[in-house]
Amino acid sequence: MAIAEGPLPSGADEYDVAIVGGGVNGTGVARDLALRGLKVVLFERNDLAFGASGNSSGMIHGGVRYLSSAPHVTEQSCRDSGYIQRIAPQLLFRMPFLMPVKSSRQARVMFELIDAYFRAYDDYQPLKHGKPHCRLDPGELSRLEPGLRGSIVGGITFDEWGIDGARLCVLNALDAIEHGGRVHVHSTVESISRATGGEDAAEGARYVVEARDRITYERLRVRARVVVNATGAWSPITAALGALPQERVRVRPGKGIHVVVDRRVTNYGIVSETIDGRQIFIYPWQNASILGTTDDDYYGDLDDVHATSEEVRYLVQGVARVFPSVRAARAIGTYAGVRPTLYSYGPNEDALSREHEVVDHAADGAPGVYSMIGGKLASYRIFAQELSDLVAVREFDSTTPCSTHERPLPGGERVPDAIPLAEQYAVTPVAARRLVYRHGALALRVLERTARRPVEHDVTCPCEPVLEAEVRHVVREEMARTVEDVSRRTRLGLGACGGMRCAARCGQIVAEERGLAPREGLTMAREFLVKQGRSRIVAMGPAQARQEALALAHMRASMGET
């Protein structure tokens, strides 16, 4: 089968490369190719980082678990971690982990094996600016984390790096735009076809991508010499739009869920084990703590992935085995994503390869069409470079080298000191620090809005906190079109109140910025609150569920809903 042919449509914009998918792979490729001088356009059906990239564990880790089975994956992950720290220094934070070894008949032998394993991992630590592992006795573990319980023979400490995956996608997309690219969010691609009329042989295949804006219903049509399918778990569906064989882009979707609790219950990541022997963890992440993660085959709706109460209990039970105080923490949400792991029939889900692959569809009758399969957040940049090297040389005879490992992402050229900024612009130090984390040097651009319009000093979301100036900034400058989009870029509404104190005001601001009726802002706010409530309810006990129902009823009444 081949991509269907048809006449070139009139009025279609022309690009060198059309990219489908706004996750970290798609935005990474858009940035890489734009920096090489190619004209790129990207389409994302939902919002940037809607899928796995925005619902991951939030770590640029070194791939320690792959050291024995695929050491080159570990090496790639560690090397790319070092590069990402260089280009986005404001976004990364060190995350120390503790791995306690519980007493058992083979515990002493297991402790020695784990120690030897991490000695091998230490060889890769310089690539990601990590610290060597330490071997700890039970007393040292207890002093570091008094909340550890059970009979423990010792433990290991190692470190990784945390990151906001959604911000990483947004910054890659912004850099692509700054270098001449176009990005269309909430725009679903409806067809990919090949047109021959009016083209000469030297130009090769020229494709037509037709999309529709899911909010305004406007139709979008572009022509491109190359098409890149970077839709992750949606890859087979995207391939079908061009009548390409889906078996060439098969993935084995793996669902992973996380539970968010309302504060930092520990200053360390703690590795534990589930009832079936899988490794899980709890770790501090920005202003909260996260329990993760499951790994299960997924056959449901990729646009509607959510955690279940059984999955939540599975994680809480496993973490409580070594850190029982987690049961006293208040769960404020869950989130879920689907990993686009390479297809393999037979292995357990957590044994599947985390490698990546570029599929060239020339053999399918579609030269110039490529699919990106597999991969993970920690090595997105090298995956984007591999695809971009192939496209630039083969399709455009370009010798411009990759520079994504050297050139900072927007705001990454320097990291301002938050305290002087707080004093200069009369905002709280916490608000200034969160702004600097999300925007780096661009935090100045947000704060300058408050100097021009003092009303924008107001805190829209007290939990994070998020200033009104930042909400307006992400709508104007970062393609946010809904309350949920704002939340993804700023973490508005993801704190302890679940958006109850900020969603309505955020909806008003989004409506004002987009020239919409106030009622549409309230509708966006309600949709966000319903989704947030759905994410929390599966992690609640009876008392919290009753309080949640009361709070939602009050919120609906205050927003004029009967």
Side-chain angles (χ1 to χ4, degrees), residues 426-443:
V427 299
T428 67
V430 176
R433 183 164 185 173
R434 303 311 295 154
L435 267 177
V436 169
Y437 173 76
R438 287 190 282 268
H439 301 275
L442 294 180

Side-chain angles (χ1 to χ4, degrees), residues 127-208:
L127 296 173
K128 66 183 184 72
H129 312 294
K131 298 182 183 297
H133 86 288
C134 290
R135 176 175 172 144
L136 306 173
D137 62 33
E140 291 168 328
L141 271 174
S142 180
R143 285 193 293 274
L144 286 173
E145 180 44 76
L148 290 173
R149 291 292 183 269
S151 179
I152 296 172
V153 300
I156 298 293
T157 179
F158 62 100
D159 71 331
E160 301 292 358
W161 293 89
I163 195 169
D164 187 324
R167 290 298 312 167
L168 184 63
C169 293
V170 169
L171 294 181
N172 273 280
L174 290 178
D175 209 27
I177 293 170
E178 285 184 14
H179 290 86
R182 293 286 302 275
V183 175
H184 298 279
V185 296
H186 296 285
S187 298
T188 186
V189 172
E190 296 182 333
S191 70
I192 304 170
S193 59
R194 190 172 70 200
T196 56
E199 298 174 313
D200 58 50
E203 289 181 309
R206 192 174 292 273
Y207 296 95
V208 177

Side-chain angles (χ1 to χ4, degrees), residues 17-23 25-27 29 41-45 184 187-192 209-211 226-232 234-235 237-239 241 370-372:
V17 182
I19 301 161
V20 187
N25 290 336
T27 56
V29 166
V41 60
L42 183 147
F43 295 96
E44 164 54 43
R45 169 178 166 79
H184 298 279
S187 298
T188 186
V189 172
E190 296 182 333
S191 70
I192 304 170
V209 178
E210 299 197 34
V226 171
V227 176
V228 176
N229 173 11
T231 53
W234 289 262
S235 291
I237 300 172
T238 305
L241 294 175
Y370 300 88
S371 291
M372 303 177 74

